[in-house]
Amino acid sequence: MKLAGAHLTYCTNIHPGESWPEIEANLRGHVVAVKAKVSPDAPFGVGLRMSGRAARELADGALPRLQRVLADHDLYVFTINGFPYGTFHGAPVKAAVYRPDWREAERLAYTNLLADLLAELLPAGVDGSISTVPGCFRERAAPDADAALAEIAAHLRSAGAYCAAIERARGKKITIAIEPEPCCVIETLDEAIALFTRHLRGASHLGLCLDACHAAVEFEDLPAAIAAVRAAEVPIAKLQLSAGLRVAPVTPAQRAALVRFSDDVYLHQVVARRGDRLTRYTDLPAALGDPAPSDEWRVHFHVPIVKRDLGAFASTQDFLADLLALQRRAPLSSHLEVETYTWDVLPPELRDVPVTDAIAGELRWVRDRLLGEARA
């Protein structure tokens, strides 16, 4: 939905579905139900997660059906989550979520295909964005990170050039949005800025996807980080509105409570703060297995953004609220997307309502803050 000059939606990666028929069922079921709750009388934008399989099925003849579904239900697509290429629910994903990564030609081909599809879906006068992996998992960049970044940047430049050609030919502007994430070769906003200034200077149709959970987990100083991004003239193509776990102090009781957030499906990176020093763990079990004391942990586990108090610990909701306050005062991006993809692996007490009710509640929470109507 259009709100305060921006398009606000949620990412459909919360719903399991790798094929076009599964995506269609999610659109006709979940997305239509959410629209009825938050935007019954106005068009509702879709943050579409599209796997490699679904993208090929749409390109091979299913696209007109998707266009009919959107038209029938007053929906429009303005952003695509092009981060997870393969299976994303119900089976171990972990570090495989980054593959193929930007060191591989298959990632470029997949992203170009998404750009072709999005160009066919974008309404007139609406720009598009495609969020994507932050280069590669950091372990994949060893032992020569500089060489890896040069290889990554070459492929990203090609993707940007492809989108530039689409704009020239079809008049549809699409930006590839690189999403920094803990334990990846681009995990902080400073590293993202360095990528652009050292390797992508002058490249077009490339920008950032700023995920609030990821930035909070990295202990980003939000005002300083945003100022640095703006000073470097790196566009923020999309804000992903999300919250992670905040554990302070880190006691035996908190550690015991965190065990319930350790699952076999997703990576839950941990950044531990000890004084002024940050230590990173690629997954929650690794952090739980280290007895070293810490002042605070931030955990990459997307929890419902409406919940600040999580019992034994808190969420990073305050960081997200600060980000939305910045967006309200001086817009950072015109694409806003709530992303709570870990719904199916949340402890039961955090998903005690139907998923469409939870999504609608998150969108209302964002709306109230963007319009200055949030209650204390």
Side-chain angles (χ1 to χ4, degrees):
M1 55 186 169
K2 198 75 179 292
L3 186 69
H7 300 274
L8 171 63
T9 188
Y10 78 98
C11 186
T12 61
N13 64 358
I14 192 173
H15 308 305
E18 306 303 325
S19 67
W20 155 242
E22 290 169 318
I23 289 175
E24 181 179 15
N26 287 332
L27 288 170
R28 293 186 181 278
H30 295 305
V31 176
V32 168
V34 171
K35 180 187 185 301
K37 297 174 190 295
V38 299
S39 186
D41 302 317
F44 183 68
V46 179
L48 191 63
R49 186 258 157 161
M50 196 184 299
S51 69
R53 172 184 171 183
R56 290 189 297 272
E57 290 170 348
L58 287 168
D60 288 342
L63 182 61
R65 186 172 180 88
L66 170 56
Q67 292 170 316
R68 286 196 298 273
V69 171
L70 296 173
D72 288 347
H73 297 287
D74 203 14
L75 304 171
Y76 65 98
V77 175
F78 66 92
T79 186
I80 289 177
N81 186 324
F83 195 126
Y85 173 90
T87 300
F88 194 58
H89 284 275
V93 176
K94 299 293 183 180
V97 73
Y98 309 107
R99 304 293 301 275
D101 57 39
W102 280 103
R103 300 191 71 180
E104 300 170 277
E106 189 175 1
R107 171 62 62 172
L108 174 60
Y110 164 57
T111 306
N112 288 350
L113 176 56
L114 294 181
D116 283 331
L117 295 169
L118 184 55
E120 296 295 331
L121 297 171
L122 281 173
V126 176
D127 293 343
S129 62
I130 300 171
S131 49
T132 190
V133 297
C136 65
F137 197 45
R138 188 169 290 279
E139 292 177 0
R140 278 266 297 153
D144 191 343
D146 287 340
L149 283 169
E151 187 176 23
I152 287 164
H155 282 136
L156 284 168
R157 279 183 173 276
S158 294
Y162 193 85
C163 289
I166 287 175
E167 184 173 16
R168 288 192 299 271
R170 309 186 207 178
K172 301 294 181 69
K173 183 179 180 181
I174 297 169
T175 302
I176 308 300
I178 303 155
E179 184 180 335
E181 181 171 313
C183 299
C184 292
V185 72
I186 306 160
E187 61 183 333
T188 66
L189 291 175
D190 276 348
E191 289 177 344
I193 291 168
L195 175 73
F196 275 84
T197 56
R198 296 174 189 170
H199 297 281
L200 297 175
R201 190 178 295 278
S204 68
H205 294 73
L206 300 175
L208 292 181
C209 172
L210 197 169
D211 184 294
C213 172
H214 300 176
V217 168
E218 287 289 348
F219 290 86
E220 298 273 13
D221 179 334
L222 184 59
I226 294 299
V229 170
R230 282 178 158 155
E233 299 182 337
V234 179
I236 300 176
K238 177 158 70 172
L239 296 180
Q240 281 188 326
L241 310 179
S242 54
L245 300 177
R246 179 177 181 269
V247 186
V250 184
T251 67
Q254 272 78 34
R255 285 173 175 265
L258 279 170
V259 170
R260 302 177 68 227
F261 288 85
S262 182
D263 63 73
D264 295 330
V265 180
Y266 303 112
L267 278 185
H268 299 299
Q269 301 94 315
V270 178
V271 180
R273 181 179 61 82
R274 301 181 182 105
D276 295 332
R277 186 166 63 90
L278 299 180
T279 301
R280 293 172 174 84
Y281 302 89
T282 57
D283 206 355
L284 182 55
L288 292 172
D290 184 352
S294 299
D295 300 318
E296 182 177 351
W297 282 5
R298 305 270 180 98
V299 184
H300 175 219
F301 193 120
H302 289 218
V303 295
I305 63 175
V306 299
K307 295 182 182 291
R308 184 177 184 275
D309 183 358
L310 299 172
F313 28 79
S315 77
T316 61
Q317 185 196 80
D318 287 349
F319 186 98
L320 174 58
D322 289 344
L323 181 65
L324 291 173
L326 290 176
Q327 170 72 17
R328 184 180 173 216
R329 289 196 297 269
L332 305 169
S333 178
S334 62
H335 289 187
L336 311 179
E337 181 183 60
V338 174
E339 192 197 31
T340 311
Y341 67 85
T342 48
W343 179 261
D344 286 346
V345 296
L346 283 168
E349 68 272 14
L350 296 182
R351 47 185 171 96
D352 56 353
V353 297
V355 65
T356 54
D357 289 346
I359 294 165
E362 291 186 304
L363 290 169
R364 293 189 194 103
W365 186 92
V366 172
R367 179 194 62 197
D368 290 348
R369 277 144 189 83
L370 289 176
L371 297 180
E373 300 173 357
R375 298 176 181 85

